[in-house]
Amino acid sequence: MSDQPQVVITDSSVVKLPRGVRLRRDPVRNHMVLLAPERAMALDDIAVVIVQALDGVKSVDVLSQEFSEKFHAPKDQIAQDIKAFLTELSNRRMLEIVQ
Amino acid sequence: MNVALSPVPTPRAPIAAPPPMAMLAELTHRCPLACPYCSNPLDLAKASEELTTEQWIDIFRQAADLGVLHLHLSGGEPAARRDLVELTRAAASFDLYSNLITSGVGLNENRIKDLADVGLDHVQLSIQGSSPISADRVGGYKGGYDRKIAVAGWVRDSGIPLTVNAVCHKQNMDQLDEMLDLAVKLGARRIEIATVQFHGWAERNRRQLMPTKEQVLKANQTVAEASKRLEGTLVIDYVPADHHSTYPKACMGGWGRIGLNVTPTGKVLPCHAAETIPSLIFDYAYKTPLADIWYNGQAFNAYRGDDWMPDLCRSCDRKSIDFGGCRCQAMALAGNAAETDPVCIRSPLRNQLVEKAAEDAAAQPGDFVYRGR
């Protein structure tokens, strides 16, 4: 079996949710949930904001800048958090890398 | 007059259960394949006994209202239902995450396109082995392997994510690396590798299917290595052989905690093998509201919480990890569903179980007892 290159999420990465991974409100448990094959992850407010911003157009860098202004937080810290979260999603095959 | 006062006996209150996450809808027991470990019961439902389209759609709606997020469309072979596209469309309209669990036989390119168009979220395709000859022998269906390869291609083209599902056992466990390769080649994002569970049909094929301890240890190692190597390419979900484990599996994530099964005739079960427990009373989804069955049904409350447990389990520090293991296994091996799962190292029946497993593993396999044939 050949070794596959692992995806590395960088500031220039552009990503979106692939088909088969979707965010919805769970009215019974009253939270937002990210659904994937055999997986249901309850997301906190910050994770929801990140997932909703994944449009397959804006890069991680652009998103970090926007969140930095919106939430008055240091951009570097936000970029770190986003990359860690997206790497987690990517390892679980819950992310499509557009670029 | 002397009136004896005694407290009014209160019916045993049902144990508070969380809402269910998942529902397995066994749309039909019909299937072109005849796998000797099929999880369907020995007594298969006939086509004439199956629920109608409208009945299924009403059950899906109730499931969504109850809190179900994942709907597994299964069988038998769900593609044997002519209304599969219509049922999938209904599931999508209730915002259920729909997963088609299929052998692939009965699907063609157009039907997969239709399923994609109405919003099918995910396809789980079974494979029986890594080569046409070995796989078709296990499935009991000539041409099945080639069909699956074609189906995987059509699914990939449709954009629907694909999981490959490989049930492993004595006769294909040594092909694990090849099956992982095949899953990557087919473009699957995920593979489920599940060791045969010895209920129903598989129980009749123990000598054909029971893996040796050496096979199990090698499989564990293969999976551990592949999980690292394929991180980001292929997600691996693995159900190891529990006859060779130290502690029982958390069967169904705990009885009546995570999911429910609906049979082709509408009977609602806490797990697919629950009908092997004679003391349970099952309700029908077209007669009783699904919420009532989930929260108040006798079968669902029978093994919730820890009141039902023997002292050995109730005092055990693992009871919130494995919830006492598998009730159907306790029924089959200990003759009492409320006994300790004999897989557990602390069960008095453990040695007997291990000896029997070793004997079946060492046995020269005979002909398969094929499901329904």
Side-chain angles (χ1 to χ4, degrees), chain A residues 3 8 10 12 21-22 28 31-32 34 37 39-41 50 53 57 63 75 78 82 89 99:
Chain A
D3 280 15
V8 179
T10 66
S12 60
V21 180
R22 55 187 175 90
V28 173
H31 59 204
M32 296 295 280
L34 190 62
R39 303 278 192 277
M41 295 163 66
I50 297 174
V57 177
L63 293 175
K75 183 183 163 189
I78 287 179
I82 292 179
L89 289 183
Q99 188 182 307

Side-chain angles (χ1 to χ4, degrees), chain B residues 253-332:
Chain B
W255 187 273
R257 283 185 79 252
I258 310 285
L260 63 162
N261 277 31
V262 184
T263 72
T265 62
K267 210 186 268 189
V268 187
L269 313 176
C271 88
H272 59 76
E275 286 174 284
T276 60
I277 303 176
S279 58
L280 297 181
I281 302 163
F282 303 108
D283 298 295
Y284 284 86
Y286 58 85
K287 289 185 193 158
T288 309
L290 205 58
D292 199 22
I293 298 174
W294 174 259
Y295 289 110
N296 304 316
Q298 185 266 356
F300 280 86
N301 281 311
Y303 304 112
R304 277 180 175 144
D306 63 6
D307 274 5
W308 61 270
M309 287 182 182
D311 288 340
L312 181 63
C313 298
R314 202 182 306 119
S315 61
C316 178
D317 55 355
R318 292 183 55 85
K319 72 177 173 186
S320 60
I321 299 171
D322 56 34
F323 307 100
C326 174
R327 295 304 92 225
C328 303
Q329 198 144 264
M331 185 71 227

Side-chain angles (χ1 to χ4, degrees), chain A:
Chain A
M1 201 178 317
S2 63
D3 280 15
Q4 309 281 330
Q6 281 196 14
V7 172
V8 179
I9 305 289
T10 66
D11 289 324
S12 60
S13 296
V14 178
V15 303
K16 64 174 186 176
L17 295 185
R19 177 164 182 158
V21 180
R22 55 187 175 90
L23 184 70
R24 60 164 278 199
R25 166 152 288 285
D26 176 353
V28 173
R29 299 169 190 82
N30 196 28
H31 59 204
M32 296 295 280
V33 60
L34 190 62
L35 296 177
E38 299 286 339
R39 303 278 192 277
M41 295 163 66
L43 298 187
D44 61 22
D45 293 345
I46 295 170
V48 168
V49 171
I50 297 174
V51 168
Q52 283 173 336
L54 303 177
D55 58 2
V57 177
K58 290 175 185 164
S59 67
V60 169
D61 187 58
V62 171
L63 293 175
S64 306
Q65 182 63 40
E66 285 182 10
F67 291 156
S68 162
E69 287 161 19
K70 193 170 166 189
F71 300 111
H72 310 290
K75 183 183 163 189
D76 285 355
Q77 184 58 51
I78 287 179
Q80 288 302 325
D81 292 350
I82 292 179
K83 282 185 278 189
F85 176 63
L86 295 183
T87 301
E88 186 83 352
L89 289 183
S90 177
N91 287 344
R92 296 175 194 213
R93 292 300 315 259
M94 292 168 72
L95 205 61
E96 183 175 326
I97 314 296
V98 177
Q99 188 182 307

Side-chain angles (χ1 to χ4, degrees), chain B residues 133-356:
Chain B
I133 292 169
S134 66
D136 290 353
R137 190 176 81 81
V138 173
Y141 185 84
K142 208 165 173 222
Y145 178 91
D146 289 340
R147 190 70 186 175
K148 287 160 191 288
I149 305 298
V151 165
W154 295 324
V155 170
R156 207 172 49 228
D157 293 345
S158 76
I160 305 174
L162 176 70
T163 287
V164 163
N165 174 38
V167 172
C168 62
H169 48 79
K170 182 193 275 192
Q171 300 194 43
N172 71 359
M173 229 170 188
D174 303 321
Q175 306 170 13
L176 214 49
D177 265 322
E178 289 84 354
M179 290 196 280
L180 284 158
D181 267 346
L182 181 61
V184 173
K185 203 177 88 190
L186 294 177
R189 284 189 209 164
R190 211 175 134 259
I191 187 170
E192 278 186 23
I193 300 167
T195 313
V196 164
Q197 306 284 314
F198 289 94
H199 306 293
W201 295 100
E203 182 66 27
R204 294 194 164 185
N205 284 288
R206 284 176 62 100
R207 294 165 72 86
Q208 281 71 257
L209 298 173
M210 183 70 73
T212 65
K213 185 151 195 181
E214 291 68 34
Q215 282 183 304
V216 171
L217 294 177
K218 181 156 175 280
N220 292 350
Q221 197 187 341
T222 302
V223 169
E225 286 167 9
S227 300
K228 259 190 228 159
R229 186 175 67 241
L230 297 173
E231 186 173 47
T233 299
L234 188 69
V235 175
I236 303 177
D237 281 341
Y238 179 48
V239 181
D242 70 350
H243 282 46
H244 300 277
S245 301
T246 310
Y247 298 112
K249 58 184 179 286
C251 199
M252 299 297 290
W255 187 273
R257 283 185 79 252
I258 310 285
L260 63 162
N261 277 31
V262 184
T263 72
T265 62
K267 210 186 268 189
V268 187
L269 313 176
C271 88
H272 59 76
E275 286 174 284
T276 60
I277 303 176
S279 58
L280 297 181
I281 302 163
F282 303 108
D283 298 295
Y284 284 86
Y286 58 85
K287 289 185 193 158
T288 309
L290 205 58
D292 199 22
I293 298 174
W294 174 259
Y295 289 110
N296 304 316
Q298 185 266 356
F300 280 86
N301 281 311
Y303 304 112
R304 277 180 175 144
D306 63 6
D307 274 5
W308 61 270
M309 287 182 182
D311 288 340
L312 181 63
C313 298
R314 202 182 306 119
S315 61
C316 178
D317 55 355
R318 292 183 55 85
K319 72 177 173 186
S320 60
I321 299 171
D322 56 34
F323 307 100
C326 174
R327 295 304 92 225
C328 303
Q329 198 144 264
M331 185 71 227
L333 300 170
N336 176 0
E339 276 298 329
T340 297
D341 185 337
V343 160
C344 183
I345 192 85
R346 294 168 191 172
S347 162
L349 294 172
R350 162 81 183 188
N351 284 345
Q352 209 179 308
L353 170 111
V354 171
E355 279 166 26
K356 184 74 176 61

Side-chain angles (χ1 to χ4, degrees), chain B residues 59-79:
Chain B
I59 294 168
F60 295 172
R61 183 185 50 73
Q62 291 188 52
D65 289 347
L66 187 54
V68 166
L69 299 171
H70 282 104
L71 174 66
H72 305 290
L73 301 168
S74 180
E77 173 48 60

